Amino acid sequence: MLRNKSVVFYGSTESRTPSIKDSIIGKFDEIIERLGILNVVRNKVVMIKTDLGYSSFISTIHPYIIGRIVKKIKDADGKVFVSDTLENYREAVYRGYTPEVIGCQIYPIAGIRDGYFYERYVDYKGLNILQLGGFCREADILLAISHIEGHNTAGFAGSIENIGLRCYTARTRYMIYKTMEWDKYFVREKCRNIKDMKNICPYNAINIVDDELRIDFRFCNQCMRCKIVDKNDCLNINRRNFESFFEAMAMAAKYVLEQYDEPNRFFINIALNMTEDCRYWGSITGNILPDLGILGSTDILALDKAT
Ligand code: SF4
C-alpha cells in the first residue's frame, strides 16, 4: 500500500509530554515502524548510507540515532553496516562514530583507497563514467539517513545529494561538479578587462587560466558583481550551467537506486542542526533554520520535496 503512494512521514521536535514516545526519538521509532523497514531485513544485509561529517563539521546526525536503528535491524535478524565517502570515514571516530558506539562496522563507500567501485558508462557534458562505490553492492537493502544542511550548489543536502554524490568515488563527484563548466559562458575575443572580473568576485569563484576566464561554479553565489564590470558583455552567468549539476546528480542517484529492488529502498531525512553550509567546508556555520524534525519515506523525491 505504502509503495503505491508518495507518503512522507513527519515527526516534529515538539513534545506534548516529557516521554520518550512523544520525543523526537519516539517519533523516529514510529517512522521506522511505519516505513516497514524491519519487516524486510531478516537474513538481509542493510547499508545505512549516512553523513559522518568532515573535519570540524560536527552538525551531523547524532551517533545515538544511528546506533538505535542498527540495534533494531539486528534485533530483527538483519545484518547491517554504515558507509560514507572515504574523507568522511577517515575522521568519523572524532565525531563519535565507532563500531562500539553504533553497534556495527563502518566502511568507506569505495574502499580505503577509493578504488573499489563499479563503472557505469554515461555521456553527459564531460561526465563519461560513474564510479559507484563497491559497498553499495554489498547490501540488499538501502537505508539512506541524511542530514539536512545548506549546500552551495544543490541548494540543500538531502537524500538525493546523499546518494547521488556520496555513493561515488571522489573522482566521480569532481566530474559531476565539472559538468557545470561544459556550456560556454565566456567569449575571450570580446573581453578587454578580464582581471577586473576576477578581482571583483567576492567568493574567489573566478580564475584566469591560460588567459581564459574560468568560473568554479561550486563557489559562485550568482551575485552578478562580475557582470557589473563586464563592459563588453563577454561573460554569461547562465542558469543552464548550474542546472547541469542537478541533471548529473540525478543521473548518479538513479544508478544507485537501480542497485536495489524497489521494496528495499528507504530514506530518512534528519532536519536538526541545519547549518548554512554543508560538511564539505569542514567547518561549522550557524543554523539557517530552527530544528524541523525527522522525515521518512520510501519515495526519495517526495521526501526531499517535503523537506
Ligand atoms: S556572479 Fe559568481 S562569478 Fe560573478 S562575481 Fe558573483 S560569485 Fe563571482
Side-chain angles (χ1 to χ4, degrees):
M1 189 68 175
L2 185 59
R3 294 279 165 185
N4 296 331
K5 292 182 180 177
S6 296
V7 176
V8 176
F9 298 106
Y10 168 56
S12 78
T13 50
E14 288 176 25
S15 306
R16 275 172 296 180
T17 64
S19 64
I20 293 177
K21 187 173 178 300
D22 267 351
S23 74
I24 193 68
I25 295 300
K27 291 170 189 175
F28 176 69
D29 289 348
E30 191 171 341
I31 289 171
I32 295 294
E33 193 175 313
R34 297 261 196 119
L35 288 175
I37 301 169
L38 302 177
N39 300 335
V40 297
V41 298
R42 186 176 161 78
N43 296 329
K44 297 274 176 57
V45 179
V46 181
M47 176 175 80
I48 299 180
K49 173 64 195 72
T50 194
D51 305 311
L52 299 174
Y54 176 61
S55 189
S56 70
F57 184 88
I58 55 170
S59 268
T60 49
I61 298 162
H62 199 290
Y64 177 82
I65 292 179
I66 303 297
R68 195 167 176 93
I69 181 65
V70 166
K71 183 170 185 316
K72 286 176 186 291
I73 292 168
K74 287 164 87 172
D75 288 348
D77 292 328
K79 297 177 177 60
V80 56
F81 67 90
V82 162
S83 193
D84 198 2
T85 62
L86 180 58
E87 308 87 271
N88 296 359
Y89 159 83
R90 276 189 181 129
E91 298 176 0
V93 62
Y94 302 127
R95 286 174 290 279
Y97 298 99
T98 68
E100 293 77 12
V101 171
I102 64 173
C104 70
Q105 290 299 324
I106 306 169
Y107 299 112
I109 198 89
I112 58 169
R113 291 182 175 170
D114 218 26
Y116 171 36
F117 55 79
Y118 296 92
E119 292 183 335
R120 158 68 68 94
Y121 292 91
V122 292
D123 182 14
Y124 183 74
K125 298 187 177 182
L127 176 66
N128 298 317
I129 297 173
L130 296 173
Q131 296 176 333
L132 177 78
F135 274 97
C136 290
R137 288 200 182 166
E138 300 284 345
D140 308 297
I141 296 171
L142 169 67
L143 170 56
I145 306 184
S146 313
H147 182 249
I148 300 301
E149 54 209 48
H151 189 284
N152 263 41
T153 319
F156 76 99
S159 285
I160 295 173
E161 189 267 355
N162 183 4
I163 67 163
L165 284 182
R166 285 174 296 108
C167 278
Y168 288 92
T169 62
R171 171 76 187 157
T172 292
R173 295 197 303 277
Y174 174 75
M175 291 309 295
I176 288 173
Y177 280 107
K178 284 290 275 184
T179 59
M180 291 188 286
E181 295 177 31
W182 183 263
D183 291 301
K184 194 171 171 67
Y185 54 87
F186 179 65
V187 184
R188 182 67 187 99
E189 301 73 45
K190 284 169 71 177
C191 185
R192 299 282 174 271
N193 60 333
I194 190 169
K195 284 189 180 159
D196 291 343
M197 284 182 273
K198 173 180 165 47
N199 292 338
I200 203 166
C201 178
Y203 301 101
N204 293 324
I206 295 181
N207 295 301
I208 299 173
V209 181
D210 296 333
D211 204 35
E212 281 281 332
L213 183 146
R214 299 264 170 82
I215 295 180
D216 188 334
F217 287 93
R218 290 175 303 172
F219 304 131
C220 174
N221 233 0
Q222 301 163 44
C223 71
M224 297 298 175
R225 285 180 174 86
C226 52
K227 283 303 294 174
I228 293 170
V229 298
D230 180 11
K231 293 177 186 152
N232 299 313
D233 196 22
C234 56
L235 178 63
N236 284 305
I237 304 295
N238 278 325
R239 185 178 172 153
R240 186 77 204 123
N241 293 87
F242 295 94
E243 286 175 345
S244 302
F245 169 81
F246 290 97
E247 287 181 23
M249 183 173 69
M251 197 182 293
K254 183 169 180 284
Y255 185 46
V256 174
L257 295 178
E258 285 170 9
Q259 308 304 311
Y260 308 92
D261 295 335
E262 200 178 340
N264 292 341
R265 306 172 192 157
F266 301 92
F267 309 96
I268 292 176
N269 284 350
I270 308 286
L272 305 171
N273 299 316
M274 292 176 280
T275 51
E276 186 177 342
D277 288 332
C278 75
R279 71 203 79 78
Y280 171 83
W281 302 98
S283 61
I284 205 90
T285 49
N287 288 1
I288 199 167
L289 289 168
D291 285 345
L292 184 65
I294 296 178
L295 302 94
S297 184
T298 55
D299 181 331
I300 189 170
L301 203 54
L303 178 66
D304 272 8
K305 202 171 171 190
T307 303

